[in-house]
Amino acid sequence: ARRARVGHQRHVARIERVETASIPALPIADSQSIPFRIGMPSAGILGNLTAYEDRPAEAGPGQVVIDVAHVDLNFRDVMAATGLLPVDAEPDSPTDALGLECSGTVRAVGYGVKGLRPGMRVMAPARGSMRSSIAVDASAVIPMPRRVDFAGAATIPSAFLTAYYALVTIAAMKRGERVLIHNATGGVGLAAIQIARWRGAEIFATAGSDEKRRYLAKLGIRHVMNDFVEDVRAATGGEGVDVVLNAIAGPAIELGISLLRPMGRFIEIGKRDVYMDSAIGLKALRRNVSLHVVDLANLDERGRAVVADVFKNLSRLFAAGTLK
């Protein structure tokens, strides 16, 4: 332990076990009258998470202000807070934009907004949503599904946006095609299973433990595996799959590409290999295979317009009960 001398005393750092309930709340968060946001002066030490006083959120034209109830924790937030996400990976400081999605209550609506009104319970993808309230484009706001609480609703936007954008917008997955979904018990994985079933695809799913694989089997997925390369080849007579949805770092990328049939599509939703500038041999793409990277936290205006259309489609699917 590091020692420090204060006056005539020597102080030594110690670790003590405490009950969660005894940990004090962030001071600004105790006051409902003071807007706040959660940020960090620098990444790397989680103890640096700080509540800063914030400007009151105001709804501009086409926007709504959401009083945030819950914020979902994504792996991107973990990477940003621990310093694993490069500073140049996003247009602004990653630690100034913690939180990618939230649920809450509409407090105000801006000019031109239709279908949303104050008091509505909503969910939205909202970069920097780890704050008391936030102004977001109304096109990216969906009323919360019935029988879903605020905590559950906060987990929906990024997972379903990523899965729909990857499998439908980018891969244009068709009925009867085969899709390999890695980490299928994660948020994006479970959303991808619903979307793949809606599209009529045959699902191949991986998970990292016996318990998770049993859970996928209970969902009615026929092809559940761990050693996915040999299992996929055996199950398909060596033909492979049409689409791979990947978030596994390292060798899994080239292995997944090797399983693609001609005209196959590989969708990378992980960040680590992208920002490590990992190499992939072009020969792996020789059979008219395409590779796409999906990073919804790093979109320009054109990308955000596409995502807004995706969210409209998701809203209809949730309203119809197709997605849950």
Side-chain angles (χ1 to χ4, degrees):
R2 180 179 296 175
R3 299 184 178 187
R5 183 179 295 276
V6 179
H8 296 290
Q9 297 179 324
R10 186 177 297 276
H11 293 249
V12 180
R14 299 189 187 281
I15 297 176
E16 296 182 9
R17 184 178 298 277
V18 298
E19 296 298 326
T20 303
S22 69
I23 298 175
L26 291 165
I28 296 177
D30 288 338
S31 174
Q32 295 297 319
S33 62
I34 302 176
F36 67 91
R37 66 175 179 86
I38 305 300
M40 303 176 75
S42 60
I45 301 176
L46 294 180
N48 285 341
L49 282 167
T50 304
Y52 297 95
E53 188 170 346
D54 199 17
R55 294 191 301 270
E58 297 181 357
Q63 291 185 322
V64 300
V65 172
I66 300 174
D67 286 331
V68 176
H70 281 70
V71 179
D72 187 39
L73 186 66
N74 283 275
F75 187 56
R76 175 263 173 206
D77 297 310
V78 177
M79 291 182 70
T82 55
L84 292 176
L85 193 65
V87 175
D88 61 350
E90 297 176 1
D92 51 9
S93 171
T95 54
D96 286 338
L98 295 174
L100 292 180
E101 56 191 328
C102 68
S103 64
T105 305
V106 174
R107 174 156 53 85
V109 299
Y111 176 78
V113 173
K114 297 179 180 179
L116 297 170
R117 62 184 184 279
M120 289 184 69
R121 292 158 35 108
V122 296
M123 55 190 183
R127 180 176 166 82
S129 57
M130 205 170 284
R131 61 200 332 127
S132 55
S133 61
I134 188 169
V136 299
D137 289 340
S139 61
V141 177
I142 290 183
M144 284 171 47
R146 287 175 293 180
R147 297 182 296 276
V148 174
D149 59 13
F150 282 116
T155 70
I156 290 174
S158 288
F160 278 93
L161 275 174
T162 301
Y164 188 104
Y165 182 69
L167 297 181
V168 180
T169 306
I170 299 297
M173 192 170 57
K174 303 176 185 66
R175 179 170 297 278
E177 288 194 315
R178 300 166 180 158
V179 57
L180 172 60
I181 301 171
H182 283 304
N183 293 341
T185 55
V188 175
L190 291 172
I193 288 171
Q194 290 195 50
I195 290 171
R197 282 176 164 165
W198 166 61
R199 300 288 285 190
E202 183 180 8
I203 299 171
F204 296 75
T206 71
S209 70
D210 290 338
E211 181 182 9
K212 291 178 179 179
R213 288 188 286 273
R214 285 193 296 268
Y215 176 73
L216 291 172
K218 288 181 180 178
L219 293 181
I221 299 175
R222 180 183 172 189
H223 305 293
V224 179
M225 57 202 69
N226 182 27
D227 183 8
F228 66 93
V229 177
E230 294 305 319
D231 289 347
V232 167
R233 286 176 177 157
T236 63
E239 289 185 3
V241 297
D242 300 283
V243 178
V244 174
L245 184 64
N246 184 70
I248 304 178
I253 293 179
E254 290 201 64
L255 291 173
I257 292 174
S258 74
L259 291 175
L260 287 171
R261 301 162 88 177
M263 306 294 291
R265 290 86 75 197
F266 187 94
I267 315 294
E268 174 63 31
I269 61 173
K271 290 180 180 287
R272 186 167 299 177
D273 281 284
V274 174
Y275 291 112
M276 286 177 61
D277 199 18
S278 298
I280 299 175
L282 283 177
K283 188 177 180 180
L285 310 179
R286 65 191 180 280
R287 298 197 296 172
N288 293 291
V289 165
S290 57
L291 185 149
H292 304 265
V293 172
V294 171
D295 183 0
L296 297 183
N298 195 16
L299 293 172
D300 61 10
E301 288 296 328
R302 292 177 302 167
R304 285 191 286 271
V306 171
V307 166
D309 287 338
V310 170
F311 221 39
K312 289 178 183 177
N313 293 333
L314 285 173
S315 181
R316 287 191 287 265
L317 291 169
F318 273 107
T322 304
L323 300 179
K324 297 179 172 60

